Amino acid sequence: MHFTSAQRIDDGVLEREFTLGEIPGTLWTPESAAPGEPGPAAPAPLILMAHNNGLPKRDARLMARARHTAAHGYAVATIDAAGCGDRPRSAAEEQARTDLRRAMQAGEPVDEIFESMIGPLVEKAVPDWRTTLDALLALPEIGGPVGYSGWTALGIRLAATEPRIAAAGLFAGGYVPRAQREEARQVTVPLLFLLQWDDEGNPRQRALDLFDAFGSRQRTLHANLGGHTGTPWFEVEDGGRFFTRHLK
Amino acid sequence: MHFTSAQRIDDGVLEREFTLGEIPGTLWTPESAAPGEPGPAAPAPLILMAHNNGLPKRDARLMARARHTAAHGYAVATIDAAGCGDRPRSAAEEQARTDLRRAMQAGEPVDEIFESMIGPLVEKAVPDWRTTLDALLALPEIGGPVGYSGWTALGIRLAATEPRIAAAGLFAGGYVPRAQREEARQVTVPLLFLLQWDDEGNPRQRALDLFDAFGSRQRTLHANLGGHTGTPWFEVEDGGRFFTRHLK
């Protein structure tokens, strides 16, 4: 893991860009023992923050969430996994995106296109996130336990197969491949599942069915009125309290 | 309003029983300006806490919620409205309860019995809650604004018709008469709607439909796994933050 830049931002947070082989990432860590208190930071619990559908790790809303979360005493990391964000795409991936745009404009069904696009994206992203998790937990400033926040399909795969994930906050707005809908029953860690009630591109009933399918006994759904990008800011704070209950 | 008893309880809260004509009630008020700080309390915002289905105001879970909420700087009041709790019941009300138990034991449909029982209960409870609200707002230690917490059917009627209610936290576990399901679209105050995902006696889909029907633009659903009485304690704290956003 090579740090390529570092800057101190508000609220006593250190923001560092890194590369790990071909994987570019960002790590936010608290600089003091507790928010507003002097003294060196103890090893912090870690939250992996993954953006839905391969948007770039520099997305403004993701960065605001990450900075806020780090200011409350967490190490927060995000990466552009293979095929996501600014990483190069194969000709097949570009073709799927072209097909998707065309089908959406024509009002045609998009499930099979999403399936062919998101299914492989999850498969390719998982090893990059595992590699990143290994490297992060080797840093002295990070002590675990580990939470996951964001992209539901990837979160299901990681939470179902990676015992180091202790709690997950998942955002329902995004296509979940059939394999991960099946795998949801194998997820048993505490869950906070966040749904936008009027999400234009993501059927509400499918999200409710997925919430119902998880194996976790401690499982909470938060639904707010509004479209895909309308999640109220107080849900970031609610997410912080969810992680405090399970990671601290 | 006549206070018939008063005791200081933990966390700087004064708990007083009162009567208002035939209405018995309990009022919890914070004793200092802010939790843990000395000095006289400023007039506090008020939360009306009404229990589902006419359980008594002395219910242990309701009292725990009320005390916790008052310790965070609210005046909290509950009453046994007409036909609720320890108030006398008419022969027709007793008969409806007998019919309900018999139908439930026989596994027969109960909707029409609930309709005949809960519909009139809401109608009779509303004037008692209004009378109580008038009396409470005349006390110097209560300043408003006013929130409502608990029994959904009554909360819909009050929030739809009583402009002094500024925000409502509603618990989905309870029969909501057809009149109040219709009236839900007239509710426009910020809402927190609390659902137990596996509530034995209350169909989940009906609760989701009701959440969908409200007129409020600021509207959040919290659903937790588990049965009717399994609401996790952290929802009391989430409810407190909801009221802080809208009443303080």
Side-chain angles (χ1 to χ4, degrees):
Chain A
M1 179 170 269
H2 297 285
F3 290 106
T4 57
S5 75
Q7 62 168 326
R8 286 179 169 72
I9 56 175
D10 291 346
D11 297 324
V13 170
L14 181 64
E15 177 177 295
R16 285 174 285 178
E17 302 291 324
F18 65 82
T19 59
L20 188 62
E22 291 182 90
I23 309 165
T26 311
L27 174 63
W28 294 264
T29 45
E31 289 197 283
S32 67
E37 288 179 22
L46 172 64
I47 295 178
L48 305 177
M49 200 169 275
H51 209 315
N52 264 24
N53 284 346
L55 287 177
K57 69 182 178 58
R58 293 188 316 276
D59 175 82
R61 287 177 303 154
L62 181 140
M63 288 189 58
R65 281 169 52 215
R67 289 169 170 182
H68 180 87
T69 305
H72 285 76
Y74 295 91
V76 181
T78 192
I79 61 170
D80 279 350
C84 296
D86 296 333
R87 297 282 290 277
R89 294 194 197 110
S90 69
E93 286 163 350
E94 292 291 357
Q95 185 60 47
R97 281 168 194 262
T98 305
D99 293 347
L100 181 66
R101 275 192 296 271
R102 188 191 305 129
M104 281 180 153
Q105 282 166 6
E108 293 168 6
V110 290
D111 272 13
E112 290 312 312
I113 302 174
F114 269 127
E115 188 69 32
S116 69
M117 198 172 98
I118 307 294
L121 207 59
V122 173
E123 297 297 333
K124 288 170 65 175
V126 164
D128 278 4
W129 278 97
R130 275 190 207 281
T131 301
T132 305
L133 180 54
D134 290 341
L136 290 167
L137 289 177
L139 295 175
E141 60 267 43
I142 296 178
V146 182
Y148 175 93
S149 172
W151 183 12
T152 293
L154 177 71
I156 291 172
R157 168 59 60 87
L158 280 179
T161 57
E162 172 54 76
R164 291 175 292 184
I165 305 278
L170 303 177
F171 178 61
Y175 184 82
V176 178
R178 283 188 283 270
Q180 274 71 58
R181 276 181 261 165
E182 283 298 313
E183 214 165 13
R185 71 193 63 200
Q186 297 168 39
V187 174
T188 56
V189 294
L191 278 189
L192 178 61
F193 194 57
L194 190 55
L195 169 66
Q196 282 298 98
W197 197 247
D198 311 293
D199 193 333
E200 309 81 2
N202 294 288
R204 184 192 301 162
Q205 190 58 50
R206 195 176 285 176
L208 295 172
D209 290 345
L210 181 60
F211 179 70
D212 201 43
F214 285 110
S216 311
R217 281 187 54 243
Q218 293 182 70
R219 192 184 334 166
T220 303
L221 169 73
H222 283 191
N224 287 283
L225 215 70
H228 184 79
T229 59
T231 303
W233 177 257
F234 61 72
E235 289 292 352
V236 176
E237 291 160 2
D238 282 12
R241 282 183 291 267
F242 166 77
F243 285 120
T244 296
R245 287 200 296 276
H246 298 293
L247 302 184
K248 283 195 169 175
Chain B
M1 180 171 268
H2 297 283
F3 290 106
T4 57
S5 75
Q7 63 167 326
R8 287 181 167 70
I9 56 176
D10 290 346
D11 297 324
V13 170
L14 180 64
E15 178 177 294
R16 287 174 284 179
E17 303 291 326
F18 64 83
T19 59
L20 187 63
E22 292 182 89
I23 309 165
T26 310
L27 175 64
W28 294 266
T29 45
E31 290 196 284
S32 67
E37 288 178 22
L46 171 65
I47 294 178
L48 305 177
M49 200 169 274
H51 209 315
N52 265 25
N53 284 347
L55 287 177
K57 68 184 179 60
R58 293 188 317 277
D59 175 83
R61 288 177 302 154
L62 181 140
M63 288 187 59
R65 280 169 54 216
R67 289 169 170 183
H68 180 88
T69 305
H72 286 75
Y74 294 91
V76 182
T78 192
I79 61 170
D80 279 349
C84 296
D86 296 332
R87 297 283 290 276
R89 294 195 197 108
S90 68
E93 286 163 350
E94 292 291 358
Q95 185 61 48
R97 281 168 193 263
T98 305
D99 294 346
L100 181 66
R101 275 192 296 272
R102 189 191 304 128
M104 281 180 155
Q105 282 165 8
E108 293 168 7
V110 290
D111 272 13
E112 291 311 314
I113 302 174
F114 268 128
E115 188 68 33
S116 69
M117 197 171 100
I118 307 294
L121 207 60
V122 173
E123 297 297 333
K124 288 169 65 174
V126 165
D128 278 4
W129 278 98
R130 275 189 207 282
T131 300
T132 305
L133 180 54
D134 291 341
L136 289 167
L137 289 177
L139 295 175
E141 60 267 44
I142 297 178
V146 182
Y148 175 92
S149 172
W151 183 12
T152 293
L154 177 72
I156 291 172
R157 167 59 60 88
L158 280 179
T161 57
E162 172 53 76
R164 290 175 292 184
I165 305 279
L170 302 177
F171 178 61
Y175 185 83
V176 177
R178 284 188 282 270
Q180 274 72 57
R181 276 182 262 164
E182 284 297 315
E183 215 165 14
R185 72 193 62 201
Q186 296 168 39
V187 174
T188 57
V189 295
L191 278 189
L192 178 61
F193 193 58
L194 191 55
L195 169 65
Q196 282 299 98
W197 196 248
D198 311 294
D199 194 334
E200 308 81 0
N202 294 288
R204 184 192 303 161
Q205 191 58 50
R206 195 176 284 176
L208 295 171
D209 290 345
L210 181 60
F211 178 70
D212 201 42
F214 286 110
S216 311
R217 281 187 55 242
Q218 293 182 69
R219 192 185 333 166
T220 303
L221 169 73
H222 283 191
N224 288 283
L225 217 69
H228 184 79
T229 59
T231 303
W233 177 257
F234 61 72
E235 289 293 352
V236 176
E237 291 160 2
D238 282 11
R241 283 183 291 267
F242 166 76
F243 285 119
T244 296
R245 287 200 296 276
H246 298 293
L247 302 185
K248 282 195 171 175

